[in-house]
Amino acid sequence: MNRLCILTAILAFLSLCTPSSSSYASYQSPVKAAYWPSYSADSHPASSINSALFTHLFYAFADLNSSTYQVQPPSYDDGSLIGGFSSAVRKTNKKVKTLISIGGGSSDWRTFSAMASGPPSRQSFIDSSIALARKYNFDGLDLDWEFPQSSTDMANLGTLFSEWRSRANKESAQSGLPPLLLTAAVYYASALKVGNGPAYPINYIAKNLNWVNIMAFDYHGGWEPNKTGEHTALYDPNSNISTNFGVGSWLKGGLPSNQAVLGLAMYGRSWILKNTSDTGIGAAAVGAGIDDGTPFYYQIVDLINSTNATVVYDETSASVFTYSDTMWIGFDDPRSISTKVAFLKNRGLLGYFFWTASFDYKWSLATAASQALT
């Protein structure tokens, strides 16, 4: 082999092992994604997902062992759910990409903090996550750490992303398989505490992840029992608790727009009204409403149809609310979802994801979003 051939081979190998914004960070195809909570398998099996409406589907969630820092299926999954997920959703759409999401809102952030704090524990997480994805025929991995609590956590997160990408690339070169997609679910703003807390390591994200899933929901809920609120408000003229502010903070912080995927909700937040004559956004309330304050979209539609509830589209927040007697629910319908997708297109974002694929009503929200992005 002559020197030119040797040099060419070396450069080709390095291109696989070195993070590159052109080969890893810039995922050009529009993303139409959704998470599937595996704990809902009995009522909403993976096979029931209309995967033709999605480009990516996330199995949620794998667990992080608090002692070994290895990634593993949840205790209720003997391997059949995670093992059958990819084949189940590809029956409808052979091209859909699948990812394992690790963590979730009910996981312990302290376990993730400890894992990210040192090289051995990070390696345990990285190696086990890659092995799990390959074992069960997934195309990628998603970290859902809610949330790094300090500047130290954020710095360690950046290191984790860098090492994760490096190891994924090396594994790809060794196995001959395409590099795993690497993503992360993140706070709605680029810094915690409504934009005033520790900031995400955007430079490490841009270099090492394909994209981040911005959780643009849960702005308000039953933890604020005294007044109603739109938990997916696109705009809020009275505060920075809105999708417009959150996305703006990420882009101003340096995240390339084509590495941002916007979160959309297939559920609402509900309250019990204090006075039936006060029914708007911000109306006085006495606590969380139906279904512990978190009704799914299909439940909301059924409730509206059965009670003849009033439905109002709020132009200011680009969200919807409904009320009947003392019941009040803020949510999104096909119109508001389409408005939010138009917003993300205008900002040049990569696409959207839903929480979750199990909560839709006759796939009306997923269909509206897909059509609006096309």
Side-chain angles (χ1 to χ4, degrees), residues 353-366:
F353 77 89
F354 279 104
W355 179 263
T356 79
S358 300
F359 299 166
D360 207 349
Y361 177 79
K362 297 183 178 180
W363 302 107
S364 57
L365 297 185

Side-chain angles (χ1 to χ4, degrees), residues 118-134:
S121 50
R122 289 196 299 267
Q123 183 175 350
S124 181
F125 167 85
I126 290 167
D127 289 348
S128 61
S129 67
I130 292 172
L132 192 68
R134 291 306 192 195

